[in-house]
Amino acid sequence: VTGASTGIGRAAALALAEKGWMVAATARSEKNLAELSARTANCKGQIHAYAGDVTDRNRVLEQVRHIETEMGPIDLAILNAGTHRPMPAAEFSSDTLRQLFEVNVMGVAHGLEAILPSMIDRRSGRVMIVASVAGYSGLPMASAYGATKAALINMAEAMHPELRRLGVILQLINPGFVKTPLTDNNDFPMPFLISAEEAASAIIKGLESDRFEISFPWFFTRLLKLARMLPYSIYFRIIRGLVRP
Ligand SMILES: NC(=O)c1ccc[n+]([C@@H]2O[C@H](COP(=O)([O-])OP(=O)(O)OC[C@H]3O[C@@H](n4cnc5c(N)ncnc54)[C@H](OP(=O)(O)O)[C@@H]3O)[C@@H](O)[C@H]2O)c1
């Protein structure tokens, strides 16, 4: 599980360990990972900490080799590490865009490059990519974040059928608002906000099926899917209401 030091990744790692999985947890914060791994003393499974930065390609390749040597082949990878920075159109910055792409897109790409060859060789394995409903269609202040998540959605759609033929299940996780350090700074009301534990249990439930997309909470994500089907004239009339003066 990448991005396991806080939020959704942390809750997913704990839920997996409670179910008996041997979990390799990664993030940059060694302290948070050590605390997380100590929490599994009474669990059926265990969490092993592997600190690292997903933007460092060589480090990710080395970590995956390390994990597979110590713990055996990876059956399930949850590529969840991500970050968010609001970017108003008037403050458009290629630096912000690049930084978000480095973590949210290239971080996932490094994970895929590291784990897929062995899964394809074994004709078995499951990968979950955590994108966001912000990738469905453009939302105010989210031109950088939404673009990274739209890229992940498109990339996963492109790869899913090919990987399926090769015996690897690729699933896309699209959460709505989840209460985590990432959303704690949001200064606007977040409709249908759920806890990280609720998000983790939706992800774990997704393991029981081979469904391509796991999106939650159900009603909010369906509303946003409907919104993206609207003609732009109507879509922008609704979205203009969310634009701050
Ligand atoms: N919360 C929501 O409402 C929401 C909605 C839709 C999608 N998502 C997505 O869900 C995922 C998890 O988000 P969250 O809400 O749980 O946020 P979070 O609590 O801020 O967790 C983000 C995780 O990613 C890790 N991370 C960030 N940059 C990293 C880097 N360069 N290298 C390695 N790890 C890095 C962080 O750990 P370190 O800082 O220790 O590295 C942390 O463990 C993200 O992809 C986010 O976009 C969240």
Side-chain angles (χ1 to χ4, degrees), residues 65 68 135 189 240-241:
R65 268 199 304 271
E68 297 208 307
R240 266 197 293 271

Side-chain angles (χ1 to χ4, degrees), residues 2-9 26-29 32 52-55 80-83 103-104 130-133 145 149 174-183:
T2 70
S5 63
T6 56
I8 299 170
T26 95
R28 290 163 305 176
S29 166
N32 285 358
D53 188 324
V54 291
T55 64
N80 157 81
T83 189
V103 181
N104 296 0
V130 180
S132 166
V133 295
Y145 180 74
K149 297 301 185 177
N174 282 327
F177 287 113
V178 183
K179 186 168 168 32
T180 68
L182 187 124
T183 48

